[in-house]
Amino acid sequence: MEKFVYYTKLFDCYKNLLNENERDTFSYYYEENLSMQEIADNRSVSKSAIGATIKNVEMKLTSYERLLHLEAKQEQLRALLETITDEKLKAQIEKIMK
């Protein structure tokens, strides 16, 4: 899986475990597609500080997934949903996944 997609999915699962600075920096970089320099300029910090924060968040997200497997379970549920024909059951599972 492409790095960008992988970390974006993990961020969706675990963003509430990060502090505000980590969430914002990661979101600017991965979701809003700002460069590290743009983020650094907007926050009045160095580009290396932004790079360190992004790397730290990537390591945290990877660690959380290694321990909790939430994204892997979500992926399994998405695959299972494609095989279910009972619309009521499908709707209930989709509701739980959100």
Side-chain angles (χ1 to χ4, degrees):
M1 185 182 309
E2 185 182 322
K3 177 183 171 181
F4 178 83
V5 174
Y6 176 72
Y7 284 118
T8 301
K9 286 182 176 184
L10 293 185
F11 184 67
D12 286 342
C13 286
Y14 302 112
K15 64 183 159 194
N16 291 329
L17 298 176
L18 303 171
N19 68 42
E20 183 178 0
N21 178 55
E22 292 169 332
R23 276 193 310 271
D24 291 347
T25 301
F26 188 90
S27 179
Y28 291 144
Y29 187 72
Y30 275 93
E31 296 179 328
E32 297 184 27
N33 204 27
L34 295 178
S35 71
M36 285 189 231
Q37 188 60 59
E38 290 172 315
I39 299 167
D41 291 345
N42 291 341
R43 301 186 128 203
S44 300
V45 298
S46 69
K47 181 179 172 183
S48 63
I50 297 301
T53 299
I54 292 169
K55 182 72 172 171
N56 183 47
V57 171
E58 290 172 348
M59 289 174 25
K60 281 184 175 185
L61 294 174
T62 301
S63 177
Y64 296 152
E65 180 63 10
R66 190 177 305 120
L67 292 170
L68 301 172
H69 309 288
L70 293 180
E71 173 51 32
K73 291 173 184 174
Q74 288 280 339
E75 192 64 39
Q76 290 172 345
L77 284 171
R78 284 190 286 273
L80 180 62
L81 273 175
E82 293 179 17
T83 67
I84 295 174
T85 56
D86 181 330
E87 292 301 319
K88 184 176 179 183
L89 177 59
K90 200 172 193 173
Q92 289 173 331
I93 293 172
E94 287 172 341
K95 183 178 178 183
I96 291 170
M97 289 176 62
K98 291 181 182 182

